[in-house]
Amino acid sequence: MKITDLLLRERVFFDGGTGTVLQSMGLSAGEAPERWNITHPEKIKALHRAYFEAGCTIVKTNTFGINRAKFEDYAELIRSGIAIAKEAAAEAEGAGLGEKFVAFDMGPTGKLLKPLGELDFEDAVALFAANVKVAAEAGADLILIETMNDAYETKAAVLAAKENSNLPVFVTNVYDGEGKLMTGADPRAMIALLEGLSVDAIGMNCSLGPDRMLDIIDEFAENCSVPIIVNPNAGLPEMVDGKTVFAMDADRFSDFSAELCRRGAAILGGCCGTTPEYIRKVIEKTTDIPYTLPEKKEKTLISSYTHAVEIGGTPILIGERINPTGKKKLKEALRSDDMNYILGEAVRQAEKGVHALDVNVGLPEIDEAEMMVRTVKAVQEVTDLPLQIDTSDPGALECAMRIYNGKPLVNSVNAKEESLSAVLP
């Protein structure tokens, strides 16, 4: 059975913290926990078994920080981590603990993507793709992309997962006390992006305790059409005698988790500071809460890297100044590669209060795909408005949609079979 099939009929549970528990098992400060897949496999397996025995359905592999830029032997570490988790799952199933699943745990690269940092978008996709290929071959049951604090890096990881495996894809992002990612996205923006990319479950993890996630889950429940994941920390971290501790005990954590469950969480677990005892109590306190999946939301959303705009009801104003039709100065700017003029038009329209910006760079004498990609990237550096990608060239459209940081509106599709068959897939 696939985890997505199980979700159709019952609530499922992730395990809790890995690194914080391994520290109690002897992991030294500064030591990479992923190395224990090779140096201490028996301890990693014991950790997985403890979570399975606590009742969880899915364990996360000890692979969170692995990629080929950090670990030369990344493939061996991933294969070892998955093999250990699969062995623990088989033992748990053999002991009559029910069907168990192994999630390949894939965290952020540790680098900011351009334009905020130096990592190119396609290089990020390639880093994640290398991981996914190994994980799929090694027999993971699903891919968990977690602790992502940037919409663009999240998209890179999802593309890598989708293009290099047929496994279910779950995604959790890190929201702060204002309900936003580090680079600005709110839950509705992430829902629009991730449901547009057809991920199987969406939610949040780390950063906050379950008490601070109550308001955020309401926004998920209002907008989400797929199962919602909540894997909180055991409260906010504190420094005590030079050590990081988490003050929320298992009873309080599980009480808040039960409320998250009542508000719509279909998949529950824990993150930093949580242990098998935390997960055991979460399962106990949610057993009698009726299980329901989110209803399909009939909403049409477009998004940027910070927010979503809903189409329907209130009129949406789309700025059409970055469109060469009837605009001599813009045509000259496109021919002379005057990006400053184009960006000035974007900023002026944003200042006028439009909800989205049209981007059309189609002129016979320029490379439309190349110019469209450059313009979309540049415009997103000066405004966080969602963009309408406006082109009749399917190649240019595909290139622009791939690198767009959000879920765009698509323009210039007509009802001719040739256009529909090229664009809609």
Side-chain angles (χ1 to χ4, degrees):
M1 179 184 295
K2 282 189 172 183
I3 188 65
T4 46
D5 295 328
L6 186 62
L7 268 170
L8 294 175
R9 68 186 197 200
E10 63 184 62
R11 188 174 296 117
V12 302
F13 298 91
F14 269 111
D15 54 4
T18 297
T20 49
V21 179
L22 292 182
Q23 287 170 9
S24 70
M25 299 169 70
L27 181 72
S28 303
E31 184 180 5
E34 296 86 357
R35 285 265 169 238
W36 276 32
N37 291 344
I38 294 172
T39 59
H40 299 290
E42 72 288 347
K43 290 188 176 182
I44 301 300
K45 189 169 102 169
L47 175 64
H48 293 324
R49 277 301 304 266
Y51 277 122
F52 279 138
E53 289 166 2
C56 80
T57 323
I58 312 167
V59 296
K60 304 181 287 283
T61 56
N62 180 37
T63 55
F64 174 79
I66 295 175
N67 63 60
R68 65 186 182 191
K70 293 181 182 178
F71 296 91
E72 187 174 333
D73 55 347
Y74 76 97
E76 182 183 3
L77 291 170
I78 291 172
R79 282 193 288 265
S80 298
I82 292 173
I84 293 165
K86 285 171 66 71
E87 189 175 333
E91 291 178 3
E93 290 178 351
L97 298 179
E99 190 165 12
K100 304 300 181 184
F101 298 86
V102 171
F104 171 59
D105 190 3
M106 191 162 69
T109 62
K111 297 181 179 181
L112 286 172
L113 273 63
K114 294 177 181 178
L116 298 176
E118 295 301 316
L119 184 61
D120 184 76
F121 178 76
E122 292 296 350
D123 289 340
V125 174
L127 279 177
F128 290 124
N131 281 1
V132 170
K133 289 174 184 176
V134 176
E137 292 171 358
D141 297 310
L142 66 143
I143 295 169
L144 172 65
I145 298 165
E146 70 163 349
T147 322
M148 290 286 175
N149 49 32
D150 173 40
Y152 210 26
E153 186 172 23
T154 306
K155 179 175 180 177
V158 173
L159 286 179
K162 289 284 187 177
E163 291 171 354
N164 295 280
S165 81
N166 293 315
L167 297 174
V169 179
F170 291 7
V171 179
T172 55
N173 291 97
V174 178
Y175 294 90
D176 62 17
E178 301 299 317
K180 295 183 178 180
L181 306 193
M182 180 184 72
T183 50
D186 60 25
R188 204 156 78 132
M190 293 311 300
I191 291 165
L193 171 64
L194 294 172
E195 289 194 354
L197 292 170
S198 298
V199 305
D200 298 285
I202 299 170
M204 50 187 158
N205 80 296
C206 202
S207 182
L208 303 172
D211 53 333
R212 303 284 298 278
M213 290 182 172
L214 291 174
D215 290 339
I216 303 175
I217 198 173
D218 290 343
E219 195 167 352
F220 273 94
E222 181 181 347
N223 294 284
C224 214
S225 297
V226 299
I228 300 168
I229 310 168
V230 186
N231 291 335
N233 285 349
L236 294 172
E238 302 172 9
M239 290 299 293
V240 178
D241 298 328
K243 293 184 177 181
T244 303
V245 298
F246 294 84
M248 186 176 289
D249 63 24
D251 278 317
R252 289 189 66 223
F253 181 90
S254 54
D255 285 341
F256 283 117
S257 294
E259 180 59 24
L260 287 164
C261 180
R262 282 187 282 268
R263 295 194 188 192
I267 306 169
L268 290 163
C271 203
C272 303
T274 60
T275 66
E277 181 60 18
Y278 282 71
I279 305 305
R280 188 189 314 277
K281 291 199 171 185
V282 169
I283 294 170
E284 289 174 357
K285 292 182 181 179
T286 56
T287 298
D288 296 329
I289 299 174
Y291 176 63
T292 57
L293 285 170
E295 295 179 358
K296 183 172 176 58
K297 309 300 188 298
E298 298 297 339
K299 295 187 177 186
T300 300
L301 299 177
I302 59 172
S303 70
S304 68
Y305 56 90
T306 61
H307 67 283
V309 170
E310 184 172 355
I311 298 173
T314 305
I316 300 301
L317 303 179
I318 300 175
E320 294 265 359
R321 295 296 304 169
I322 307 175
N323 186 322
T325 304
K327 300 181 186 70
K328 183 178 179 180
K329 287 184 178 180
L330 181 61
K331 288 180 180 179
E332 292 174 355
L334 290 170
R335 292 187 184 108
S336 62
D337 198 23
D338 184 358
M339 192 61 71
N340 286 333
Y341 179 84
I342 297 169
L343 297 184
E345 290 288 82
V347 171
R348 282 188 285 275
Q349 292 176 99
E351 290 173 346
K352 292 293 185 180
V354 300
H355 300 99
L357 291 175
D358 183 78
V359 177
N360 184 322
V361 298
L363 289 178
E365 60 268 42
I366 67 173
D367 183 335
E368 185 176 358
E370 189 271 340
M371 190 63 180
M372 179 67 87
V373 167
R374 288 182 55 232
T375 304
V376 166
K377 286 182 176 179
V379 169
Q380 286 204 297
E381 291 182 24
V382 299
T383 177
D384 71 345
L385 290 177
L387 301 186
Q388 172 175 275
I389 299 174
D390 185 355
T391 174
S392 57
D393 180 346
L397 176 62
E398 184 173 4
C399 289
M401 289 183 73
R402 181 176 179 85
I403 57 86
Y404 176 71
N405 192 356
K407 179 186 177 185
L409 183 61
V410 174
N411 196 3
S412 292
V413 186
N414 62 49
K416 292 180 181 178
E417 181 59 35
E418 182 182 4
S419 177
L420 294 176
S421 62
V423 173
L424 294 187

